[in-house]
Amino acid sequence: MIRRTLAEIEPVADKTTSYFYALLFVRRPELRALFPAAMDVQRDRLFKALLTAARHADDTAILTTYLSQLGRGHRKYGTAPTHYPAVGECLIDALARHASRTWNDATQAAWVRVYTAISQIMIDAAAEDERSSPPWWQAEIVGHEPRTPDVAIVTVRPDQPYPFLAGQYASVETPWWPRVWRHYSFSCAPREDGLLSFHIKAVPAGWVSGALVHRARPGDVIRLGPPAGSMTVDHGSDSGLLCLGGGTGIAPIKALVEDVVRHGRSRPVEVFYGARHDDDLYDIDTMLRLQKSHRWLSVRPVISDGPTLGLSGQLPQVVRKYGPWNAYDAYLSGPPGMVRSGVDTLVGIGIPAHRIRHDSIDELMASVAG
């Protein structure tokens, strides 16, 4: 019944989403303050998250992992347990209106059961997180290094310890766009001095990325949500690491390499660093210095457009020519299209899907948007 509803509303998802928010803000106008002034990106996020959770209602493990992370992350918006019933009522009313062919009493009862489970997992995860972590961290910018006209490396000092793993990402809010959060991967493994670094690329109409690249300066203070993501190294394994990093997607790949260094184990790490042009390889010198210091590390730049002295072509297709990779765990980070084609390529050459790690496509799209 859940899936039939999802199939029916898919062609009218925009109308359903708009109706959902209209109901929510009319019935509970005080909740409007939890959302950014401009709803262009945020408008879809909450509704899509609820539908994604419902789609996995019969997979307890995936559902719990996804929703626990969501529940912890929503603390930064000021979400409270008392808000969940209102959201659930508006969700069900919006679905009932726009899925009229499949909607009946039994369908509504199914959605009530699913939403009750969804909200309880999120509430419990937020309550558990509250016992040990703040809803967000203040972080002072202590370094701002432009690398290209639209890429900068931003280093920050959190106001209290920030526990994370190499390969994860954080949501970031700037003082110039309150309540607008975007996701950025850490470009470093945890450091003794507690500093965190991000590689930020300003994208067209990107409010947060544009502010961080062109406006931010040392001394400015941003906010960080809790760490998230599962693209982390299994240090209990002897498998090699096959890493594909496209554009600023090299940031978490660099963090993974540093993480292997920190753990002091020599295991083969093969990095393919992709960009459109040679000039876009803004962090190649750093990666080559790491390669020079560690014999187990290999770094290959790959250029998709224009002349180059290195490897030429689309990143996943170039990786295909090397290998074999059956003894490696794969890590992909970069534009959504690259990640999709990379996963398809790696599965096609025999790497099992459970050994391929990357940020979720939804999170990638959210990052690209801003």
Side-chain angles (χ1 to χ4, degrees):
M1 287 185 284
I2 296 294
R3 291 196 175 97
R4 283 200 297 269
T5 306
L6 293 171
E8 184 175 353
I9 66 165
E10 187 173 358
V12 290
D14 283 348
K15 289 183 179 179
T16 312
T17 303
S18 297
Y19 188 71
F20 163 76
Y21 280 110
L23 286 178
L24 186 63
F25 295 156
V26 167
R27 293 178 182 176
R28 295 291 298 273
E30 73 278 10
L31 296 185
R32 183 64 180 87
L34 302 182
F35 295 83
M39 292 282 289
D40 60 332
V41 174
Q42 182 62 46
R43 188 192 74 118
D44 294 338
R45 281 192 180 177
L46 175 59
F47 195 73
K48 283 185 176 178
L50 294 170
L51 298 188
T52 299
R55 192 170 286 112
H56 294 289
D58 56 354
D59 191 325
T60 304
I62 290 179
L63 187 68
T64 301
T65 300
Y66 176 73
L67 290 173
S68 295
Q69 184 170 292
L70 209 59
R72 290 190 294 269
H74 277 193
R75 290 183 60 213
K76 67 180 178 287
Y77 297 114
T79 304
T82 54
H83 297 150
Y84 284 88
V87 171
E89 291 170 9
C90 295
L91 169 68
I92 287 172
D93 286 351
L95 293 173
R97 180 183 180 90
H98 291 280
S100 55
R101 293 196 311 275
T102 56
W103 199 263
N104 54 40
D105 290 344
T107 302
Q108 178 160 323
W111 274 95
V112 169
R113 288 195 299 273
V114 167
Y115 182 78
T116 300
I118 286 172
S119 57
Q120 196 58 55
I121 293 171
M122 293 178 68
I123 290 169
D124 290 346
E128 182 181 355
D129 193 59
E130 189 173 4
R131 289 194 284 269
S132 59
S133 299
W136 64 78
W137 285 254
Q138 302 275 10
E140 179 187 359
I141 296 177
V142 296
H144 188 278
E145 181 188 354
R147 286 291 182 90
T148 75
D150 59 358
V151 173
I153 296 180
V154 179
T155 303
V156 303
R157 178 185 292 114
D159 61 346
Q160 52 188 303
Y162 187 97
F164 74 101
L165 299 174
Q168 290 190 304
Y169 58 87
S171 50
V172 175
E173 180 201 49
T174 71
W176 303 284
W177 296 102
R179 301 190 303 279
V180 179
W181 297 79
R182 296 292 185 266
H183 300 104
Y184 299 105
S185 295
F186 302 105
S187 63
C188 60
R191 296 165 43 162
E192 289 186 5
D193 60 12
L195 297 182
L196 311 171
S197 290
F198 304 93
H199 294 185
I200 312 294
K201 179 180 176 64
V203 298
W207 298 350
V208 177
S209 63
L212 288 171
V213 171
H214 301 303
R215 190 168 181 176
R217 294 293 180 269
D220 291 332
V221 176
I222 63 176
R223 292 205 296 181
L224 306 176
S230 58
M231 198 181 76
T232 56
V233 176
D234 177 6
H235 292 289
S237 168
D238 292 323
S239 298
L241 276 64
L242 170 62
C243 302
L244 283 67
T248 52
I250 197 63
I253 300 303
K254 173 178 169 287
L256 294 177
V257 172
E258 291 183 356
D259 198 33
V260 174
V261 173
R262 285 177 68 244
H263 280 77
R265 294 179 61 196
S266 295
R267 53 197 295 192
V269 178
E270 303 280 343
V271 174
F272 290 82
Y273 179 5
R276 290 193 171 186
H277 305 95
D278 279 331
D279 291 345
D280 296 326
L281 295 169
Y282 66 89
D283 211 32
I284 188 62
D285 290 344
T286 304
M287 298 304 299
L288 292 177
R289 281 197 298 270
L290 285 167
Q291 176 182 249
K292 189 174 181 180
S293 301
H294 305 287
R295 296 179 63 183
W296 43 261
L297 173 63
S298 173
V299 177
R300 297 184 180 93
V302 180
I303 299 301
S304 62
D305 303 328
T308 178
L309 296 177
L311 299 175
S312 178
Q314 296 299 317
L315 190 57
Q317 299 309 315
V318 170
V319 172
R320 246 187 124 95
K321 300 175 184 177
Y322 290 81
W325 304 117
N326 54 308
Y328 286 72
D329 294 331
Y331 297 80
L332 299 91
S333 180
M338 187 221 87
V339 172
R340 287 192 185 96
S341 63
V343 170
D344 290 344
T345 298
L346 296 180
V347 169
I349 60 177
I351 299 181
H354 70 274
R355 292 176 59 184
I356 301 174
R357 301 188 181 190
H358 58 87
D359 294 336
S360 75
I361 298 299
D362 285 345
E363 300 296 355
L364 288 166
M365 292 304 294
S367 178
V368 167

